[in-house]
């Protein structure tokens, strides 16, 4: 999660740099039109205000990059101020998407989640202790056998001996300690079984929530892609109209602001998709130690280049 947040902050930083460059071009266009008498000073001031806001957004994002870089260092076990950087290329979302039924993921989690398997093993061990405590209260029958050969010094003769035993163990009154041990073992087994059952219910709930979040993230990516395409086209039209003298500076600045917001939403939606996918794999118990995710065909994830 820290890795994706850092990747998202860097991607938004690049988007804000593009927005600042567009705001700067709007200032130049407004000043040019003002110099030839085609625009008022109000257009210039509004363009400069928009540029200042874009610069503030850029500075805030630069600070966010530093913070998320420190958080990533801490999550890897290093001091927050360790000097490092990584080149992260955020891939596109697979067109086919990731199709997994929630029942399939639950079955995977029940089979693969180490915490759930450990709880189930503890419950089975507690049940075995109940059987042992119960058997200690019952009569027991044991069989034994032995065989041997004896030689006498100075003689060649020997004697074979063999024997067998049948032992019946009848437990007598021991102050009810055995019954108390059985009751305690049964209570511990019941508690262990309930803990395992509660953990299984929690795992099922986690997968249900993670699966729902992933479906929402997947739908959001598609919706934001349409928003970004529309905002990009709107900004191009508004910029062209302003340069031709048929559009207002307010239309241009509004379109540029909408485009900046759409870029940020696109970055957040794409990286949110990968975070949701990683969370789903984690809850299903199949997330690899090196980030490999068997839920995604081809294991798409941002590549670290250096």
């Amino acid at each position: 999660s820290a890795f994706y947040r850092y990747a998202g902050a860097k991607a938004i930083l690049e988007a804000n740099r593009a927005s600042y460059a567009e705001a700067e071009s709007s200032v130049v266009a407004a000043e040019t039109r003002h110099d030839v008498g085609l625009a008022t000073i109000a257009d210039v001031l509004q363009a400069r205000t928009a540029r200042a806001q874009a610069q503030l957004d850029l500075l805030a994002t630069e600070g966010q990059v530093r913070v998320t870089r420190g958080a990533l260092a801490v999550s890897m076990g290093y001091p927050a101020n360790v000097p490092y950087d990584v080149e992260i290329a955020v891939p596109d979302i697979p067109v086919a998407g990731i199709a997994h039924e929630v029942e399939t993921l639950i079955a995977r989690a029940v089979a693969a989640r180490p915490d759930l398997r450990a709880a189930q093993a503890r419950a089975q061990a507690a049940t075995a202790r109940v059987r042992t405590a119960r058997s200690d209260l019952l009569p027991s029958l044991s069989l034994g056998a032995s065989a041997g050969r004896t030689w006498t010094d100075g003689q060649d003769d020997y004697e074979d001996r063999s024997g067998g035993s049948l032992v019946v163990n009848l437990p007598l009154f021991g102050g009810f300690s055995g019954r108390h041990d059985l009751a305690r073992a049964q209570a511990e087994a019941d508690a262990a079984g309930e803990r395992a059952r509660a953990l299984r219910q929690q795992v099922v709930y986690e997968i249900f929530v993670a699966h729902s979040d992933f479906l929402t993230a997947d739908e959001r990516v598609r919706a934001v892609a349409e928003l970004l395409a529309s905002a990009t086209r709107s900004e191009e039209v508004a910029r062209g109209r302003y340069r031709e003298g048929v559009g207002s500076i307010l239309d241009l600045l509004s379109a540029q602001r909408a485009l900046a917001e759409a870029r940020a939403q696109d970055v957040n939606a794409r990286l949110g998709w990968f975070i949701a996918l990683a969370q789903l794999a984690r809850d299903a118990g199949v997330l690899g130690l090196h980030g490999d995710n068997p839920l995604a065909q081809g294991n798409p994830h941002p590549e670290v280049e250096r």
Side-chain angles (χ1 to χ4, degrees):
S1 296
F3 175 81
Y4 286 125
R5 291 190 185 98
Y6 179 49
K10 293 191 70 174
I12 292 178
L13 177 60
E14 293 302 318
N16 286 347
R17 285 173 177 168
S19 298
Y20 178 77
E22 292 167 352
E24 179 68 26
S25 66
S26 297
V27 172
V28 173
E31 290 176 345
T32 301
R33 293 190 62 188
H34 176 265
D35 291 342
V36 297
L38 297 178
T40 64
I41 189 61
D43 287 3
V44 177
L45 295 177
Q46 288 172 343
R48 290 175 179 175
T49 300
R51 180 182 62 183
Q53 182 62 53
Q55 185 176 17
L56 289 176
D57 294 341
L58 184 59
L59 294 174
T61 308
E62 289 175 347
Q64 187 66 22
V65 168
R66 290 191 294 269
V67 170
T68 53
R69 182 172 63 236
L72 178 57
V74 171
S75 69
M76 294 188 296
Y78 297 102
N81 61 341
V82 64
Y84 82 99
D85 197 7
V86 292
E87 295 291 340
I88 303 175
V90 182
D92 294 328
I93 304 299
V95 177
I98 309 299
H100 289 279
E101 296 294 335
V102 66
E103 290 79 9
T104 302
L105 296 173
I106 290 174
R108 284 194 179 190
V110 171
R113 280 278 291 260
D115 53 348
L116 181 56
R117 295 178 65 185
Q120 293 170 341
R122 288 191 292 267
Q124 293 172 358
T127 301
R129 288 193 293 269
V130 173
R131 291 194 296 267
T132 300
R134 183 178 291 111
S135 65
D136 291 340
L137 298 176
L138 301 176
S140 60
L141 179 65
S142 60
L143 298 174
S146 62
R149 176 171 290 179
T150 303
W151 281 271
T152 303
D153 290 342
Q155 298 182 8
D156 295 334
D157 296 335
Y158 58 85
E159 181 181 1
D160 291 328
R161 294 181 179 181
S162 61
S165 63
L166 176 63
V167 180
V168 179
N169 182 22
L170 297 175
L172 300 178
F173 178 73
F176 300 105
S177 62
R179 295 185 180 277
H180 292 320
D181 290 341
L182 175 60
R184 183 180 63 183
Q186 185 63 57
E188 292 175 349
D190 292 342
E194 285 300 313
R195 284 192 292 268
R197 187 187 67 84
L199 181 57
R200 188 183 188 282
Q201 296 284 29
Q202 180 64 28
V203 168
V204 171
Y205 174 73
E206 290 177 357
I207 294 177
F208 180 80
V209 173
H211 186 261
S212 177
D213 290 343
F214 176 75
L215 293 179
T216 301
D218 193 59
E219 293 173 357
R220 185 187 177 202
V221 167
R222 317 301 172 187
V224 170
E226 296 180 3
L227 174 65
L228 179 59
S230 177
T232 301
R233 180 57 181 162
S234 177
E235 192 275 338
E236 292 173 352
V237 171
R239 179 160 29 93
R241 285 172 54 83
Y242 186 72
R243 288 178 178 176
E244 295 296 329
V246 295
S248 68
I249 189 64
L250 292 179
D251 292 340
L252 175 59
L253 297 180
S254 177
Q256 289 180 342
R257 189 64 183 174
L259 177 58
E261 294 176 356
R263 285 171 175 156
Q265 290 189 42
D266 178 65
V267 172
N268 289 329
R270 285 195 292 156
L271 291 173
W273 188 92
F274 287 105
I275 291 176
L277 180 63
Q279 184 66 44
L280 182 59
R282 179 267 172 197
D283 291 339
V286 296
L287 182 63
L289 292 177
H290 300 288
D292 47 312
N293 193 336
L295 298 183
Q297 186 176 3
N299 298 331
H301 58 79
E303 296 291 342
V304 178
E305 297 179 356
R306 85 175 158 80

